[in-house]
Amino acid sequence: MKTRLIILTAAAMLLTTGCSVGNIDISKKETSEATLGQPIEENVNGTISGSDTTDNNGGDSLLLPNVPYSEVPATAELGERFCVVMPVHSGHLYLTINKCELYDSLNDAGMKYDELQQVLIADGFNYDAETTEFLKGFIMIKTYMTVENVDAVSIDHFWEPEYFGEYDFWLERFGGVAYATEEYFDQVLPPDESLPFHFYTKINLQPGEKKDIIIGYLLDTRKVALEDVTFANGRDDDSFSDELPFTVVNLGLGGDNK
């Protein structure tokens, strides 16, 4: 079970899904089983629930996502609200990607270097500190999103309760952009060297609450054409793909998005 946890966490950070260009036909994946191999139990209301799992050595419980029922679209368009499963232990959490903008420099994007997570961006490699322009085909995607908690409880609260409250959700579990690194989050927490890195990019969402957020992704355009750039919260080759449905959104970057 510990191996499954490590793989799932890695999958949340390494999303490299692609998607074809053109009009996206919205199809639905109806999840009628508990996620990640949990046993299925149907309650009196007809909804599906799973039970927590415990490792075979009799150690602490390893709680895996226990989503009552989710209808997750296989694809979605900009402005379409869709359910995301990976960040939750139970309940419903929604994401809407409202619009995206492209920028050739940090100044144009309205960002400062000190505000970035600095995952991949580096002076002289893909960034000029004097002009704030990006180099070697790199470009910033400024993504405007809405996150909404209907009745969800965070999965990370059960895995790391010392860092995550019931309604603290790790941002990376919402998904990411293929061939890009997440460099900017407009609500990132102040740095604290005593805390794990992922603590900085959590967001608190109480049941019934929604927030507008901005995320900046540094894209390597040498690896993918703009019209093929997608946001996804899963992978086709993910070992859990049969159990954990996910959505791919074409970001519509083929035109003028500045």
Side-chain angles (χ1 to χ4, degrees):
M1 295 306 299
K2 291 183 180 177
T3 301
R4 291 170 63 88
L5 171 58
I6 294 171
I7 294 174
L8 177 59
T9 303
M13 302 176 67
L14 300 175
L15 300 171
T16 56
T17 305
C19 182
S20 60
V21 71
N23 294 329
I24 300 177
D25 180 25
I26 304 301
S27 60
K28 302 291 183 181
K29 289 182 180 178
E30 189 171 291
T31 304
S32 57
E33 60 183 46
T35 61
L36 298 181
Q38 293 182 16
I40 300 172
E41 298 176 1
E42 186 169 0
N43 64 23
V44 293
N45 296 319
T47 59
I48 304 298
S49 63
S51 62
D52 298 336
T53 58
T54 306
D55 63 37
N56 293 329
N57 297 321
D60 295 336
S61 292
L62 180 61
L63 300 175
L64 297 174
N66 176 9
V67 181
Y69 172 86
S70 296
E71 187 175 285
V72 181
T75 59
E77 296 182 355
L78 291 178
E80 181 179 6
R81 174 178 177 265
F82 57 93
C83 183
V84 291
V85 184
M86 189 175 287
V88 308
H89 175 257
S90 62
H92 295 78
L93 193 69
Y94 287 89
L95 175 66
T96 305
I97 302 178
N98 300 303
K99 67 174 182 177
C100 299
E101 299 170 342
L102 296 178
Y103 292 98
D104 295 319
S105 72
L106 279 182
N107 283 347
D108 290 344
M111 301 174 186
K112 297 180 180 179
Y113 186 79
D114 291 342
E115 297 174 334
L116 304 181
Q117 297 185 53
Q118 302 170 24
V119 177
L120 182 63
I121 186 171
D123 186 25
F125 170 61
N126 52 17
Y127 168 74
D128 186 323
E130 291 187 7
T131 65
T132 77
E133 293 182 352
F134 303 115
L135 310 173
K136 300 180 182 179
F138 283 85
I139 196 168
M140 181 68 73
I141 307 174
K142 194 173 184 179
T143 309
Y144 298 80
M145 305 181 181
T146 300
V147 289
E148 177 185 357
N149 182 9
V150 176
D151 57 359
V153 174
S154 167
I155 184 65
D156 286 288
H157 169 63
F158 292 91
W159 286 342
E160 297 184 282
E162 66 272 32
Y163 302 124
F164 290 84
E166 265 191 303
Y167 309 115
D168 290 332
F169 299 92
W170 186 24
L171 196 64
E172 277 74 5
R173 294 197 194 280
F174 283 82
V177 175
Y179 307 107
T181 56
E182 182 184 306
E183 298 287 350
Y184 175 81
F185 176 41
D186 69 331
Q187 299 182 34
V188 67
L189 297 175
D192 184 340
E193 294 183 359
S194 67
L195 299 175
F197 174 77
H198 61 272
F199 178 88
Y200 306 142
T201 55
K202 71 176 182 181
I203 185 169
N204 182 270
L205 280 175
Q206 298 293 316
E209 183 180 14
K210 66 171 61 175
K211 291 181 179 179
D212 293 325
I213 62 175
I214 300 174
I215 301 178
Y217 297 98
L218 188 67
L219 176 72
D220 188 347
T221 63
R222 299 169 300 179
K223 296 182 178 179
V224 60
L226 287 177
E227 59 266 26
D228 294 329
V229 176
T230 60
F231 175 96
N233 50 21
R235 309 165 46 136
D236 287 328
D237 60 350
D238 187 346
S239 60
F240 299 114
S241 61
D242 290 338
E243 300 170 283
L244 192 64
F246 64 91
T247 302
V248 177
V249 182
N250 188 292
L251 298 183
L253 300 179
D256 186 3
N257 294 272
K258 295 185 182 180

